[in-house]
Amino acid sequence: MSKAVVDVPPKGGFSFDLCRRNEMLSKKGVQTPPFRKTGTTIVGLVFQDGVILGADTRATEGPIVCDKNCEKIHYMAPNIYCCGAGTAADTEAVTDMVSSQLQLHRYHTGRESRVVTALTLLKSHLFSYQGYVQAALVLGGVDCTGPHLHTIYPHGSTDTLPFATMGSGSLAAMAVFESKYHEGLTREEGINLVSEAICSGIFNDLGSGSNVDVCVITKGHKEYLRNHQLPNPRTYVSAKGYSFPKPIEVLLTKVTPLKEKVEVIEGGDAMEE
Amino acid sequence: MQLMDSSHSNPMSLCSQADSQRTLYPYVTGTSVIGVKYKDGILMAADMGGSYGSTLRYKSVERMKPIGKHSLLGASGEISDFQEILHYLDELILYDNMWDDGNSLGPKEVHSYLTRVMYNRRNKFNPLWNSLVLGGVKNGQKYLGTVSMIGVHFEDNHVATGFGNHLARPILRDEWHEDLSFEDGVKLLEKCMRVLLYRDRSAVNKLQIAKITEEGVTISQPYSLKTFWGFSAFQNPTVGAEGSW
């Protein structure tokens, strides 16, 4: 970092400046700190009225479970949701970013977002980072052209599929889908199949665990079933119960507002559409 | 590691001319084998492919063989090492027969022998590059076990090798139950083999199912599974966005 050179603002993309230092450190025996990954089983399938997405809820940092109940089904648009596997920060950031871009696009065009729009935005972003943004996504939604389900790989390639699985538990979940999926599933059959696939990932893969989240998207309507199934309840709870020292008792509650409350007039001064 | 140092300092027997005789990587490999216990004995399934790297070179390799009167051995991994193991087992059964004492080696004993062989080879850094599935029935007792190339062995109600561990075992854990009938067992195995056919690149659509009961071993004729490719997303993946991919 020589002071003689004029400070140029960094160009876009990754700066690989610290790679040499990291190599030197790892040679000396310093381990890279583990980053939070979403070990994961994520699935999606197309049923007769739309798309159902499912995900487990375990986030791992190396061998430790750092979040027992995280949310892996991200909102993209009112009619599009996206499950993310890989590095948690990458999946969150990329889905948030594309979600905002989609909203701006909706304001610009005045129309409902299409799934292929989200797909193209995500894949061009991931491709330009050449796989360094480690986000593997299952994107699903229903728009004016019908239900769509896509998988997006960290390097930017995509697939259009009737059923898809990603993440470390993808083989266990795919085994369930390949043996039981058929076209024209009803809503109940679809939700059951998705839950079965996620449970297969939860119980047969070490990187996935805890609960099952499901999201059902149909034309004009979506249902986010957070913790649809909880197949891992806490097994041993102390029968004795817990006793805490006597708490501080509340004797009197008196609220003194510092300012007068402002009256809200209905319909006045609304933002222009 | 000890080996690295010795190659520099003094020519230890492990590193000089013995190097060319150690197994370093497999050449002709077979893919997964799946085995389940059912009402009358053991059912095992394996396809008939022998891959040479990424080419599917041999399509009629029998990867399941009967051993003695009471056992059935299925192997995945290097085919030549499987043939070597069959040779060892041949000798073992021959010696057992020569005793002529009215007793014969059961599946548990053969499994134990195989474990010792695999583990000893691994300790000499010259492994037999196989994952074995050993099943059998003796005196009404059903036995199903597995040995890996490093000597890891256990017995269970359903076992699988290779990719079968990731794709078939989840299905078996869900759907296996005690006292499966023969038809149900075959249906279950076919379900697993179909998933493997779709998702394992080294699988071939030509498989055999072997059954071993108190009466003996039957290995079926090779046949193929029906597959389905008619999903609408496969026919027209770019619906609504012509020109995209």
Side-chain angles (χ1 to χ4, degrees):
Chain A
M1 298 273 210
S2 62
K3 291 290 181 193
V5 180
V6 175
D7 262 329
V8 183
K11 298 187 202 131
F14 276 1
S15 129
F16 291 92
D17 293 338
L18 293 173
C19 287
R20 258 230 215 116
R21 175 206 81 151
N22 291 344
E23 246 185 79
M24 187 267 298
L25 280 174
S26 62
K27 274 210 195 74
K28 294 237 173 100
V30 177
Q31 286 160 334
T32 43
F35 39 79
R36 180 159 165 259
K37 302 195 89 190
T38 49
T40 299
T41 311
I42 46 173
V43 305
L45 59 74
V46 177
F47 73 113
Q48 67 189 23
D49 305 322
V51 168
I52 307 182
L53 301 173
D56 74 307
T57 61
R58 174 184 281 187
T60 52
E61 233 168 44
I64 305 170
V65 176
C66 60
D67 190 345
K68 293 189 282 192
N69 209 358
C70 70
E71 284 189 20
K72 299 189 192 179
I73 307 188
H74 309 286
Y75 167 89
M76 297 285 257
N79 58 328
I80 308 176
Y81 272 76
C82 184
C83 307
T87 309
D90 286 339
T91 58
E92 293 267 352
V94 112
T95 46
D96 265 357
M97 184 194 79
V98 171
S99 171
S100 332
Q101 286 180 340
L102 284 177
Q103 183 151 45
L104 287 170
H105 193 248
R106 274 203 293 287
Y107 287 143
H108 196 73
T109 58
R111 294 181 168 83
E112 193 185 52
S113 301
R114 299 195 190 188
V115 183
V116 281
T117 319
L119 180 71
T120 313
L121 289 168
L122 284 164
K123 73 154 79 168
S124 27
H125 181 84
L126 291 176
F127 178 71
S128 63
Y129 283 88
Q130 289 292 297
Y132 281 98
V133 175
Q134 279 174 8
L137 310 166
V138 170
L139 175 73
V142 182
D143 56 29
C144 56
T145 53
H148 297 276
L149 179 70
H150 303 278
T151 50
I152 308 163
Y153 290 84
H155 282 266
S157 62
T158 60
D159 287 315
T160 314
L161 298 165
F163 54 91
T165 66
M166 295 284 261
S168 56
S170 61
L171 281 91
M174 186 51 88
V176 172
F177 272 172
E178 282 283 16
S179 46
K180 296 191 178 155
Y181 179 83
H182 58 87
E183 298 220 285
L185 290 162
T186 64
R187 195 195 125 95
E188 277 65 44
E189 287 176 340
I191 296 183
N192 282 336
L193 188 55
V194 163
S195 306
E196 245 191 273
I198 300 288
C199 281
S200 175
I202 287 176
F203 293 117
N204 292 305
D205 173 46
L206 297 175
S208 315
S210 304
N211 317 122
V212 180
D213 282 352
V214 176
C215 183
V216 185
I217 310 172
T218 51
K219 185 119 185 77
H221 180 66
K222 64 145 191 292
E223 239 186 281
Y224 182 39
L225 304 165
R226 168 78 171 147
N227 285 0
H228 174 68
Q229 269 187 17
L230 298 115
N232 289 305
R234 195 161 154 222
T235 27
Y236 304 109
V237 185
S238 162
K240 267 193 324 190
Y242 302 98
S243 70
F244 298 107
K246 198 158 169 300
I248 300 175
E249 277 179 28
V250 177
L251 295 170
L252 166 68
T253 314
K254 180 172 177 228
V255 177
T256 317
L258 295 172
K259 277 198 203 161
E260 260 186 40
K261 279 215 180 118
V262 179
E263 282 281 307
V264 176
I265 315 162
E266 271 295 325
D269 211 17
M271 263 173 56
E272 295 272 293
E273 270 294 340
Chain B
M1 241 182 68
Q2 286 287 5
L3 255 91
M4 303 296 227
D5 294 323
S6 51
S7 69
H8 291 300
S9 43
N10 47 352
M12 297 289 289
S13 60
L14 281 164
C15 287
S16 41
Q17 71 268 42
D19 244 8
S20 58
Q21 302 190 7
R22 293 166 48 207
T23 307
L24 294 169
Y25 19 75
Y27 286 94
V28 181
T29 53
T31 181
S32 356
V33 177
I34 327 178
V36 290
K37 276 190 191 164
Y38 80 111
K39 189 163 52 114
D40 305 322
I42 312 289
L43 276 171
M44 220 186 271
D47 67 22
M48 299 189 75
S51 319
Y52 186 63
S54 47
T55 338
L56 265 176
R57 181 119 177 239
Y58 304 105
K59 297 197 202 166
S60 300
V61 180
E62 277 204 32
R63 297 193 290 115
M64 295 185 292
K65 296 281 185 191
I67 310 290
K69 282 200 287 215
H70 303 283
S71 325
L72 177 64
L73 175 67
S76 71
E78 173 63 61
I79 302 291
S80 61
D81 282 345
F82 177 49
Q83 290 168 342
E84 184 76 359
I85 291 173
L86 290 175
H87 183 82
Y88 288 158
L89 286 172
D90 227 9
E91 255 187 73
L92 179 78
I93 301 291
L94 185 69
Y95 278 159
D96 186 48
N97 288 341
M98 287 201 304
W99 279 108
D100 201 17
D101 55 2
N103 210 345
S104 50
L105 289 172
K108 205 170 158 79
E109 290 80 52
V110 178
H111 187 221
S112 187
Y113 174 76
L114 286 171
T115 310
R116 289 298 101 219
V117 167
M118 302 298 271
Y119 186 64
N120 267 294
R121 289 290 296 254
R122 163 261 198 197
N123 283 338
K124 296 187 199 140
F125 285 94
N126 186 11
L128 288 159
W129 209 287
N130 291 110
S131 290
L132 307 167
V133 172
L134 198 303
V137 192
K138 187 175 174 196
N139 298 335
Q141 292 275 36
K142 298 181 281 224
Y143 187 88
L144 180 62
T146 178
V147 194
S148 82
M149 82 184 208
I150 49 173
V152 174
H153 62 283
F154 55 90
E155 64 154 313
D156 204 345
N157 293 322
H158 46 79
V159 294
T161 64
F163 250 99
N165 268 313
H166 296 109
L167 289 168
R169 271 214 69 224
I171 302 180
L172 293 171
R173 279 190 183 146
D174 248 354
E175 304 194 10
W176 183 90
H177 57 88
E178 232 16 276
D179 290 329
L180 279 167
S181 70
F182 177 69
E183 288 75 28
D184 284 341
V186 172
K187 254 208 269 210
L188 187 56
L189 282 180
E190 282 188 348
K191 197 182 217 184
C192 298
M193 292 304 283
R194 188 172 288 112
V195 179
L196 283 167
L197 177 62
Y198 283 136
R199 296 283 161 178
D200 180 3
R201 82 164 189 177
S202 35
V204 254
N205 197 1
K206 185 174 170 190
L207 65 137
Q208 287 180 308
I209 301 224
K211 141 177 111 144
I212 178 164
T213 60
E214 195 73 56
E215 282 84 49
V217 174
T218 330
I219 305 185
S220 75
Q221 284 301 308
Y223 68 102
S224 57
L225 295 168
K226 280 215 239 345
T227 54
F228 178 71
W229 299 90
F231 296 115
S232 54
F234 289 170
Q235 316 295 357
N236 192 6
T238 57
V239 64
E242 306 309 323
S244 75
W245 70 98

